[in-house]
Amino acid sequence: MSARIYLLGAGAFAVGTSAYVVSGVLPDVSSELHVSLTAAGQLATAFSLAYAVGAPILSTLTGRWERRTLLIAALVLAALGNLIATVATNYPVLIVGRVVAAFGAAMYTPAATLFATGLLPPEERGRAVAIVFGGLTFALVLGVPTGSFLGPTLGYKGVFALITVVAVLVAIVERAALPRVDAPPQVGLRERFAGVTDRRVQTVLAITILAVLAALSVYIYIVPFLKETAGLAGNATSILLLLYGVGGVLGNVIGGRATDRFGSIRTLIVLLVGIIAVVATLDLTANSIGGAAAALFVLGLFTWAFNPPIQNLLLELGGGLLISLNASAIYLGAGLAAVVGGLVIDVAGLRFLPPLSAVLTLIVLGLVFTLRRDPELEEIEHLEPEEDCVPVTATD
């Protein structure tokens, strides 16, 4: 397997850390800028919404760009956003930095996914997607703990400065190691959204939004949840979050291999059944450190195995044009998760989050079964990728 795919995953790690690290430095932001924790938490919302809006628009605006140039520009833009956050002296400027960093991530992730699928034969596309999303998974594993660990020493500005350096270094290495790849045929914004008129595409995007909403409505508030159910805090919670991330790394690999072997639909069904079983019993299993450790590890595994089959399904339905739309759907779900989870806590309490997640995941499972009954989709599960997913050919 080409080592270049892992380099693409490193770039995903850089932009993903930019997204996740905020959760680990919220207290520092709140203290230094004299804003509430709720206001500091909106930094994550600003990133998510900027990504959701920016992904399809930026994919259209950069459609004529040579692909390696696009990847490097995206990393530089992400670095710029984190640099702005590093020098920000007030909350509005920090918000601007988050938005700029989100635009860089919105450019990078879809482009890197398509670049990776072109480095492997069609029957191994699931693994290619898994490697790129593996970078995002490692960002989840390391991002929040790193922010929590380094925040008191470096301050939130130091943490953002470190991410800036990482993004620049990856951009330099990608410039030296990746081949030049011509841009696919230019696609306008209207044509990019044309695929949304397909009922199956609408269903897949709805699956993404609801699945992310279900998963993150629990994960965002998992620290106070574990404190309430098992009395856990401090280092114990950090270890459990690390176990969730380790499960996510393993799940991402398994999801890619399962997609290549069994197809997208069957893989999704198994994963969703597993997620429902875990979250429906989370209030019972997470009442001790051992039970919580097992539950979070398995939850991370099933949740992060979800990405490769979804991405592959969209490639089967409409090729690379839909990848940026799915990226928007992911971050739209993430933005909604904090809001919906907060409302549920205010109205019913923390312990109602897992049942909400189980119900939402059950709805997602129903949507997947509607796709399974589609005879045309069953036929294309084994077809070649669309023309805009042509194999990568080096020109220098």
Side-chain angles (χ1 to χ4, degrees):
M1 184 177 293
S2 175
R4 292 166 174 170
I5 298 182
Y6 292 96
L7 183 55
L8 294 168
F13 171 79
V15 300
T17 302
S18 177
Y20 298 130
V21 76
V22 169
S23 297
V25 298
L26 288 185
D28 301 305
V29 173
S30 175
S31 175
E32 186 164 339
L33 295 184
H34 307 291
V35 298
S36 67
L37 277 174
T38 301
Q42 298 312 305
L43 294 172
T45 303
F47 188 102
S48 296
L49 294 180
Y51 190 116
V53 173
I57 296 174
L58 291 169
S59 292
T60 300
L61 294 176
T62 60
R64 295 182 182 275
W65 293 18
E66 183 270 321
R67 300 293 92 180
R68 184 181 66 181
T69 300
L70 173 58
L71 292 173
I72 295 168
L75 287 169
V76 171
L77 188 60
L80 176 61
N82 284 285
L83 180 60
I84 293 173
T86 301
V87 300
T89 57
N90 56 61
Y91 183 76
V93 175
L94 186 54
I95 287 285
V96 170
R98 297 299 294 158
V99 170
V100 173
F103 286 162
M107 290 169 59
Y108 184 88
T109 307
T113 301
L114 293 176
F115 202 111
T117 59
L119 292 174
L120 293 178
E123 63 272 14
E124 296 183 12
R125 287 184 309 185
R127 298 186 193 183
V129 172
I131 290 171
V132 174
F133 273 82
L136 297 178
T137 313
F138 274 109
L140 177 66
V141 172
L142 299 177
V144 176
T146 299
S148 299
F149 180 73
L150 295 179
T153 303
L154 301 179
Y156 79 86
K157 293 184 177 181
V159 173
F160 283 124
L162 184 60
I163 299 172
T164 301
V165 172
V166 171
V168 170
L169 289 176
V170 174
I172 292 172
V173 176
E174 286 195 357
R175 173 64 179 81
L178 293 180
R180 290 178 56 86
V181 176
D182 293 335
Q186 177 68 9
V187 177
L189 191 60
R190 178 176 298 180
E191 185 178 351
R192 188 171 296 276
F193 279 96
V196 180
T197 60
D198 187 325
R199 177 187 54 80
R200 297 167 300 176
V201 173
Q202 294 171 358
T203 301
V204 175
L205 294 178
I207 286 171
T208 295
I209 294 171
L210 291 175
V212 172
L213 172 59
L216 292 188
S217 61
V218 172
Y219 180 76
I220 288 173
Y221 298 100
I222 196 64
V223 172
F225 180 84
L226 292 174
K227 185 175 182 180
E228 181 168 319
T229 58
L232 301 176
N235 291 335
T237 302
S238 298
I239 292 172
L240 292 179
L241 290 175
L242 182 62
L243 283 175
Y244 174 91
V246 171
V249 172
L250 180 61
N252 192 67
V253 174
I254 293 174
R257 292 181 180 275
T259 300
D260 289 336
R261 182 169 181 178
F262 302 110
S264 300
I265 299 296
R266 281 180 288 180
T267 300
L268 287 172
I269 290 172
V270 172
L271 294 175
L272 290 168
V273 170
I275 291 171
I276 292 170
V278 174
V279 295
T281 59
L282 190 60
D283 194 35
L284 299 175
T285 56
N287 55 13
S288 68
I289 188 168
L296 288 182
F297 175 81
V298 175
L299 183 60
L301 189 150
F302 281 123
T303 300
W304 282 85
F306 194 83
N307 284 311
I310 282 289
Q311 299 282 348
N312 192 61
L313 190 57
L314 288 168
L315 288 172
E316 292 164 347
L317 286 172
L321 297 180
L322 300 177
I323 295 298
S324 63
L325 295 181
N326 191 63
S328 294
I330 290 173
Y331 280 88
L332 179 59
L336 290 173
V339 176
V340 172
L343 289 174
V344 171
I345 291 171
D346 290 341
V347 173
L350 277 165
R351 289 176 181 260
F352 280 83
L353 288 176
L356 169 68
S357 177
V359 171
L360 289 172
T361 308
L362 187 61
I363 294 172
V364 173
L365 181 60
L367 292 174
V368 172
F369 271 108
T370 66
L371 292 175
R372 190 183 188 188
R373 293 196 299 266
D374 191 313
E376 293 184 12
L377 185 57
E378 183 69 22
E379 290 177 5
I380 68 172
E381 275 265 64
H382 305 289
L383 292 183
E384 299 292 314
E386 297 290 329
E387 291 183 357
D388 57 335
C389 296
V390 294
V392 171
T393 302
T395 57
D396 68 0

